[in-house]
Every structure is written in C-alpha cells, then in structure tokens.
Amino acid sequence: MFTIITGAQFGDEGKGKIVDMMASQYDIVARFQGGDNAGHTVVAEGKTYKLHLIPSGVLFDARLLIGPGTVMNPGILMEEIAMLSDNGVEVSPSKLGIDAKTSIIMPYHVALDGLREQKRAVKIGTTNRGIGFAYVDKVGREEIQMADIADKSRFMRKIEEIAPQKEAAIKEMGGEPKIARSEIDAYLEIGKKLKPYITDVSKEINKALKDGRKVLAEGAQGTHLDIIHGTQKFVTSSSTIAGSACAGLGVGPTKVNEVIGVIKAYITRVGEGPLPTEQKNEVGEHLREKGGEFGTTTGRPRRCGWFDMPLARKAINLNGYTSMALTKLDVLSGLKSIKLCLGYELEGKNIDYMPELSDDVSRCKPIYIDIPGWREDITDTESFVDLPENARLYVELLEELMGADIGYISVGPGRKQTFMK
Ligand code: GTP
Ligand code: IMP
Ligand code: MG
C-alpha cells in the first residue's frame, strides 16, 4: 500500500498533523522533496514538536526515510535528532534512513540564498535555508551528496572541485568568499555520525511494498509552490505535487494506491506571490490570530484569505487526489458570514480555474458567495453530524464544488481533534 500526502494550497495546510495521525497505520514514512524550509508541527500528548527534516511519523514505530529528492542540511538534522532525544524519542539508524544520494545543503548555499534574495528587485520571500541554491547544484550536476560527507577523501575532492566557483559567485554578490570552504570539519564530523543511517531508499520502499507493507510519502510545502506548475517565480525549488513522490523516492507510478490532499478551510501563504482571496483586514486578522498563522520555520505572519476554489480545482488536477483532509475548520468559528471564492473575473471574463501565469493570477478579482457562519466552538466535536448545521453545509458545499471527497476533518491541532467524514 503506497499513499502520498501533499498540500493542496501554499503549504502549512497541516500535513504534519495529518501524517502524525495516519503514521500508526504505516510501516514507513518518507520525505521526498524540499528540505528544512518545511516546518511540520505535530502536537501530541501536550507536547508540540516542530519538525523540518524528520518525517512526521517519528512519534510512532514506523521506519523513517529521507529520499534522494530532498535537500538536507546535516546540522539542522542533528539539532532535530537532539531535540527529539531530549523529549525521549530516539532516532537511531534502525529508525531513520537517509539516501546515499540526498543532496547536502552547504554553508555556501545558505549564503548565496541570502545574498541573491537581498539583491532581487522583486523578492520571493525565501526561508533563507539555501534550498534554491542546493537544487541549482543538483540540476547543475555539482551537488554534494550524503555519501560524500561520510567519506573524507570524496568530500575533499568535491570541495576542491566546487569551491573555486562558489568563492567567485559569493564574491560577485558581495559576500565573504571564505564561506565556500567553511565548516568542512563540522560536516565531516556529522558525516561520520550519519554514516550508519545511509540507505538506498528506493530499494527499501520497493521491497516493503512487495512484502505487503504500508508506505506513506509525506509532502512538504504545497501544490502552488511547485517549481514546474506553481505561481513562478514565487515558488520553492522542488516539485511539491504527488507525482514528485514517485520521482523523489524511486517508486513507479503503478505502485500508488492513494493520494490525499491536505487543504485548509481557508487559505494562507507565507512569502511573496499572488493570493487572490487575501484579506488585509479584520477577517485576515481573525484567521491569523485564531489559526496561529505564523511560519513554523521563519515565524513570519502568514497572509490569510478565503477558500479559493479555482486554486483547489487546479490542485486536484495536478495531484489526482483520491480524497482530501480538510483542516482548521475550527478557525472559522465566530465569523458571522464566510465568503467562498467560486471563480475569478479576469479581463472582463468570468473563469472558474486558476490561470497558468502568475501575472494573470495576480490580476484576478475573486467572485464570492456568502455563506452564513456559526458561532459555536467546534474544537471538541468528534463527528460530522455533531458539527453546527452551517459548518456541515460549508463542508458539503466545498466537497460538491471541488468534486472531491473529504475523508477527514480536523478541528484543532491535537491528535484527537480529527474525525472521518
Ligand atoms: P509545511 O510542510 O511547512 O507546508 O507545513 P505543514 O503542512 O505540516 O503545516 P504546519 O505544521 O506548518 O502548520 C499547520 C499549523 O496548524 C500547525 O501549527 C498545526 O499544529 C496547526 N493545525 C493543524 N490542523 C489544525 C486544525 O484543524 N485546527 C487548528 N486550529 N490548528 C491546526
Ligand atoms: P524557499 O523554499 O526557502 O526557497 O522559499 C520559496 C517560497 O516558498 C517562499 O515564498 C517561502 O515562504 C515558501 N515556502 C518554502 N517552504 C515553505 C513551507 O514549508 N511552508 C510554506 N511556505 C514555504
Ligand atoms: Mg509549515
């Protein structure tokens, strides 16, 4: 059984919570793209865990894998392993496997990310974690891989080959060229510690599937931040959609059984880029405050707005969702009326699907319908029938307009605050 979970909007839909909730039923949970730009929050037994690299299944017995499609900052991984250990969760090599080919984020990637963003006339709002430049090196065939930092002579050979052009690039952007050769000893030290974790992720997952075991692929960021299909240039540097799980983990598309889309009952975005239903007013404030909409990785306030159906329709096409998990329905409680964006007006025409180009998306004027809200606190609700009538109507309307089944509904950050529709 192979299940893929991705975010259907701009990230932070609550994938961490949904993966944690499902992980007890899976044998393997694997990350297939992105890096520590992701911030997955898992709330369990009164504790809050903020995870950036380690898959959100960590609190269960599942084997965890970091696939070769990801980019990994080893220092951040070590911090995360230490944080979990402090909380009584040991992440040993029998628990976590890292693919030998996983791209390593080097100090020069982080430096270049910051320097480039500073110089951009039109900013992206990156998380400043070196993600984009690590992927540039993967595509440019100049990456350093997990296996390299675990082997001194390979690592030194690669540094000698790569450092001169990194020095030149950093210098040209006004940075400190020495960064190109910094932290080498620290990387080797971590490489030694991580060596026992090295594995062949594709081989492990394919074997598990052949043996009838269950594998969950955990996406990071969200559909509209996809490097190929997203709102370029305001995107991340990896492919965030379901198909990327097959490529990133080395599993054939014929093996996929289920694709679950996590989607908020409204929408948020962190960083720059078009967000047609954004509410820069008291509604946006309500969503931000009540939903705790501040970035897990950067702490930045997230931009908030009404649910956007044209974006959801495109996400359903791009991912081929077999069902959806609707999160944060509780955050809408207390709003007198709720707007739902059915389509857009663009150049005098009405459209019901997200346009291809970011420039067009940013010119779209949302067409809303008003739906009566509900006052009741729903955070203790345990079943669909117990929701207030207007909340049920809202969920049913979303389902009908998306043309996709909502399998799970989440009404709070905790594990128990989820039920099946
Ligand atoms: P990225 O991989 O960074 O895109 O993040 P993510 O999709 O894992 O989501 P993230 O954890 O960054 O953000 C979701 C936030 O909402 C977290 O703080 C969760 O604890 C919280 N959360 C998840 N589901 C619910 C819900 O149904 N209601 C409320 N109130 N909070 C929720
Ligand atoms: P980068 O991935 O750091 O290069 O950032 C590129 C864009 O993606 C910026 O707008 C970020 O805010 C956004 N982004 C990256 N990771 C996440 C995430 O995990 N959640 C939400 N937005 C993200
Ligand atoms: Mg997040």
Side-chain angles (χ1 to χ4, degrees):
M1 170 82 172
F2 185 38
T3 303
I4 303 170
I5 292 193
T6 67
Q9 293 158 323
F10 293 98
D12 307 319
E13 296 91 350
K15 296 176 292 296
K17 172 188 157 152
I18 300 294
V19 169
D20 168 74
M21 187 197 77
M22 295 179 69
S24 64
Q25 301 152 41
Y26 282 81
D27 300 294
I28 292 180
V29 182
R31 273 284 300 273
F32 57 90
Q33 46 72 231
D36 62 296
N37 49 348
H40 298 301
T41 312
V42 175
V43 180
E45 278 140 31
K47 279 189 191 167
T48 299
Y49 301 86
K50 293 187 187 292
L51 304 168
H52 299 285
L53 283 165
I54 292 187
S56 302
V58 66
L59 302 180
F60 293 96
D61 291 335
R63 166 102 169 131
L64 309 174
L65 295 173
I66 296 179
T70 60
V71 288
M72 197 258 285
N73 184 324
I76 303 281
L77 180 68
M78 295 311 285
E79 281 172 21
E80 220 164 287
I81 291 175
M83 177 277 287
L84 285 161
S85 173
D86 290 346
N87 284 283
V89 183
E90 293 310 324
V91 184
S92 63
S94 61
K95 174 101 182 142
L96 172 70
I98 305 166
D99 197 89
K101 287 176 188 263
T102 297
S103 265
I104 295 296
I105 297 185
M106 298 293 294
Y108 50 75
H109 293 133
V110 180
L112 287 164
D113 203 8
L115 289 164
R116 187 74 195 90
E117 181 75 345
Q118 263 172 31
K119 287 213 175 347
R120 279 190 183 108
V122 178
K123 308 237 182 271
I124 295 172
T126 71
T127 59
N128 232 331
R129 299 296 183 113
I131 306 296
F133 281 82
Y135 276 114
V136 164
D137 277 356
K138 179 185 269 305
V139 177
R141 292 152 294 181
E142 264 148 17
E143 69 185 330
I144 288 185
Q145 300 180 330
M146 178 61 232
D148 298 325
I149 62 163
D151 177 327
K152 188 171 181 184
S153 62
R154 275 170 72 119
F155 186 54
M156 295 316 292
R157 210 171 54 233
K158 285 218 169 165
I159 289 284
E160 282 317 314
E161 193 186 319
I162 294 168
Q165 16 135 350
K166 297 301 170 197
E167 281 163 354
I170 292 172
K171 198 169 163 198
E172 198 191 316
M173 283 203 229
E176 172 51 70
K178 279 190 196 144
I179 291 168
R181 290 172 198 269
S182 65
E183 292 185 48
I184 288 176
D185 291 342
Y187 270 64
L188 284 169
E189 201 47 46
I190 297 176
K192 226 189 270 171
K193 290 189 184 140
L194 291 181
K195 195 168 180 175
Y197 291 80
I198 294 179
T199 189
D200 179 337
V201 162
S202 166
K203 191 175 170 197
E204 266 202 48
I205 294 184
N206 280 286
K207 170 145 191 351
L209 293 173
K210 267 193 201 116
D211 293 347
R213 286 187 290 143
K214 295 175 83 178
V215 179
L216 182 60
E218 173 181 14
Q221 293 84 47
T223 295
H224 300 295
L225 292 176
D226 185 270
I227 187 69
I228 303 168
H229 299 281
T231 52
Q232 291 100 334
K233 69 177 195 182
F234 310 99
V235 291
T236 190
S237 296
S238 65
S239 178
T240 55
I241 59 176
S244 166
C246 290
L249 297 173
V251 183
T254 49
K255 301 285 188 286
V256 180
N257 300 97
E258 250 189 342
V259 185
I260 299 174
V262 185
I263 194 158
K264 276 182 198 178
Y266 50 97
I267 201 163
T268 63
R269 174 166 204 163
V270 59
E272 305 304 318
L275 186 63
T277 61
E278 183 169 13
Q279 299 297 301
K280 292 182 182 167
N281 52 29
E282 64 285 359
V283 170
E285 279 304 313
H286 169 105
L287 299 172
R288 188 173 308 109
E289 289 309 317
K290 196 155 183 191
E293 298 295 359
F294 297 88
T296 312
T297 301
T298 58
R300 289 179 289 180
R302 295 176 183 146
R303 298 155 63 197
C304 299
W306 297 117
F307 190 98
D308 188 322
M309 198 53 77
L311 261 73
R313 290 191 183 112
K314 182 161 182 172
I316 289 164
N317 277 352
L318 292 175
N319 291 278
Y321 291 133
T322 53
S323 73
M324 314 291 292
L326 183 72
T327 59
K328 301 199 126 174
L329 187 63
D330 55 300
V331 176
L332 296 180
S333 290
L335 290 168
K336 215 167 169 185
S337 90
I338 296 167
K339 285 191 196 295
L340 172 58
C341 169
L342 295 182
Y344 307 130
E345 191 207 307
L346 178 64
E347 292 169 354
K349 286 200 189 105
N350 289 356
I351 53 174
D352 64 4
Y353 196 75
M354 184 181 179
E356 277 259 272
L357 305 179
S358 280
D359 281 353
D360 290 337
V361 180
S362 60
R363 289 186 296 127
C364 282
K365 302 256 177 308
I367 301 168
Y368 292 113
I369 51 165
D370 280 302
I371 294 157
W374 59 91
R375 255 179 231 255
E376 297 89 329
D377 176 356
I378 59 169
T379 53
D380 289 328
T381 309
E382 289 176 357
S383 69
F384 187 64
V385 288
D386 293 330
L387 284 174
E389 190 186 358
N390 287 346
R392 284 202 311 272
L393 289 174
Y394 182 64
V395 173
E396 277 166 351
L397 190 60
L398 291 183
E399 214 171 18
E400 187 190 321
L401 292 169
M402 287 194 293
D405 288 338
I406 294 176
Y408 291 104
I409 296 175
S410 170
V411 291
R415 257 184 199 162
K416 292 194 179 123
Q417 293 170 300
T418 321
F419 50 83
M420 290 178 77
K421 176 165 177 293

